[in-house]
Amino acid sequence: MKKIFIINGGQKFGHSGGKFNQTIANTTADFFLNNKNFEVKSTDVNDEYDPAQEVEKFVWADVVIYHTPIWWFQLPHAFKKYIDVVFTEGHANGIYKSDGRSSKNPAINYGTGGMLHGRKYMVTSSWNAPKEAFTLPGEFFGETSVDDGVLFGFHRMNAFTGMKPLESLHFHDVMKGANVDSDLEMYRNHLTQLFLN
C-alpha cells in the first residue's frame, strides 16, 4: 500500500480565498481514498500544525504531493514558513542530517545529507500567467519552464532531502481564464498515469 502525504500550500490572504488549490487538494485526496491501494494523510498550511507531527508525515510517506499557488514568482508566505519550520524540526530527525559535506573536503558532496531517500514528490502550481508566457519567444519568462525557472529552488530543496521528483503539473491563467472542470480532468488523468498505469 502506497502512503500519500498531501500538502495544500494555497493560502487565504488578500484577495485570494485559496479555493483553487483547496479544490485540487480535495481532488487529490478523493483520487487516492477511492483506491484501496493507498493511505492518505494531509496538511493545510492555513490550519495549525505541530512541526514534529509534520516531520513524521514526511517520514511516513512514500510520496509527498505539494499544491501551491505562485505569488510574486515565489511560494506564498504561509507555505514557505511551513517548510522553514518543519524542515528545521526535521534536522537530524528524519528530513536531513546535514548538508552532506565533511570537514576533510568541504568543497564536495553539498546537498547529499538528506534522510528521505526512496521517497518521491510531486508539485502542482497555479498561476495567473498564461502558459504562453513560458513558451513563446519574447514573452515574460523567456521560454523558461516553471520547473527550470521559478520552481528551480523548490526542486533543489526536495533533492536536498533525498526525494526524487515525479512529473509536475502547472495550472495557468486561473484568474482570468479558469476552466476548473477542464483542469480537474487534466489533473485526474495526470494522477492516473503516474499512480495507476
Side-chain angles (χ1 to χ4, degrees):
M1 184 173 291
K2 271 201 186 292
K3 296 175 279 191
I4 309 293
F5 177 30
I6 303 163
I7 302 173
N8 177 14
Q11 188 174 338
K12 300 168 186 169
F13 177 80
H15 62 273
S16 174
K19 291 179 184 175
F20 184 84
N21 281 276
Q22 183 65 63
T23 299
I24 298 299
N26 290 345
T27 299
T28 308
D30 291 344
F31 179 88
F32 290 110
L33 289 170
N34 287 327
N35 186 311
K36 64 182 179 179
N37 295 319
F38 297 94
E39 291 179 78
V40 174
K41 293 185 180 184
S42 61
T43 291
D44 185 322
V45 301
N46 295 284
D47 300 333
E48 287 188 32
Y49 52 84
D50 178 312
Q53 290 178 1
E54 297 304 301
V55 170
E56 289 174 8
K57 291 177 188 177
F58 276 93
V59 173
W60 167 86
D62 296 312
V63 178
V64 178
I65 299 180
Y66 301 101
H67 299 298
T68 185
I70 301 298
W71 289 3
W72 293 108
F73 317 110
Q74 302 173 62
L75 302 182
H77 58 274
F79 188 21
K80 179 62 168 69
K81 178 182 178 183
Y82 170 88
I83 290 168
D84 290 346
V85 169
V86 173
F87 281 30
T88 299
E89 180 71 25
H91 177 226
N93 190 30
I95 292 181
Y96 73 103
K97 60 181 177 244
S98 70
D99 70 7
R101 299 179 297 160
S102 72
S103 57
K104 292 181 182 177
N105 192 349
I108 64 168
N109 294 322
Y110 178 80
T112 60
M115 300 173 75
L116 295 178
H117 294 279
R119 293 163 184 83
K120 296 182 178 176
Y121 74 95
M122 187 189 90
V123 59
T124 72
S125 68
S126 56
W127 292 79
N128 173 51
K131 65 183 177 183
E132 292 81 5
F134 300 87
T135 60
L136 293 180
E139 287 298 314
F140 190 79
F141 291 98
E143 299 176 79
T144 303
S145 71
V146 172
D147 294 298
D148 291 335
V150 171
L151 287 184
F152 177 80
F154 185 85
H155 287 296
R156 297 321 300 155
M157 172 197 81
N158 283 283
F160 193 96
T161 72
M163 289 195 285
K164 299 284 187 191
L166 295 169
E167 185 180 354
S168 48
L169 187 67
H170 309 295
F171 301 98
H172 297 285
D173 206 11
V174 300
M175 291 179 71
K176 292 183 177 145
N179 186 333
V180 176
D181 290 339
S182 175
D183 284 344
L184 291 177
E185 180 180 3
M186 176 178 66
Y187 181 52
R188 288 187 190 101
N189 289 338
H190 184 76
L191 291 175
T192 297
Q193 289 175 351
L194 284 181
F195 293 98
L196 300 184
N197 289 343

